[in-house]
Amino acid sequence: MALLLRIVIIILIIYIFYKGVRYLIDPKRKLDEAYENGNYYFYDDVKNVRKNFFITYKGALFEGEKYLGTTDNSFEVISIFIFVHDAMKLQGFTKEDFLYLEKEVQMNYPNATINWKNPIEQLMKD
């Protein structure tokens, strides 16, 4: 009985350690932390086209919708629509900030055309 109890305790300690490490390296947690601190963070599952990506930058949270299409010799993400979750957080943003975000997205999706949804779309047209 004592041996069984020791084994259960060891397994429980290993499980708690495993869950703690998974929590610390979780990208979603890192995104939330960067959003709260107003830092830049790009959260994306590049292998899954159906999942949207998230970018936090200067206290604003952006979401990007990826659309698959064909290039000359493969299927790639060819179109991306990016929108902000709270337009009030855009105060103080400049066109250069959005160009920086476009450049960061283009590093992961070089064949994609990036389109912004309102109100950012109006700023980028000017």
Side-chain angles (χ1 to χ4, degrees):
M1 186 67 170
L3 180 62
L4 182 63
L5 185 61
R6 287 180 187 164
I7 292 173
V8 169
I9 290 173
I10 290 172
I11 291 173
L12 183 65
I13 290 171
I14 292 171
Y15 177 75
I16 290 172
F17 179 75
Y18 169 77
K19 288 302 239 183
V21 169
R22 291 235 351 182
Y23 172 77
L24 289 175
I25 62 171
D26 182 28
K28 182 72 171 148
R29 184 194 63 82
K30 290 179 181 179
L31 175 73
D32 294 338
E33 185 177 321
Y35 178 64
E36 290 174 8
N37 295 332
N39 298 330
Y40 171 80
Y41 190 77
F42 187 84
Y43 172 67
D44 185 21
D45 185 1
V46 179
K47 296 178 182 176
N48 190 348
V49 178
R50 292 183 179 165
K51 278 188 163 180
N52 293 349
F53 63 82
F54 296 91
I55 301 173
T56 179
Y57 183 64
K58 291 187 177 180
L61 181 63
F62 300 91
E63 185 172 349
E65 298 174 353
K66 304 177 278 189
Y67 295 95
L68 190 66
T70 57
T71 59
D72 291 335
N73 49 350
S74 66
F75 286 99
E76 298 286 335
V77 173
I78 61 167
S79 180
I80 297 175
F81 288 93
I82 303 175
F83 60 92
V84 66
H85 279 257
D86 184 6
M88 301 306 282
K89 300 269 185 166
L90 293 177
Q91 184 174 354
F93 273 74
T94 63
K95 192 171 185 176
E96 287 76 29
D97 292 325
F98 297 112
L99 292 174
Y100 169 75
L101 292 175
E102 280 186 5
K103 184 182 78 163
E104 292 294 318
V105 172
Q106 286 284 328
M107 287 181 5
N108 288 318
Y109 303 103
N111 297 322
T113 57
I114 298 173
N115 300 303
W116 296 91
K117 293 189 178 179
N118 279 332
I120 302 166
E121 179 183 29
Q122 298 301 320
L123 175 67
M124 298 304 280
K125 283 184 180 179
D126 296 336

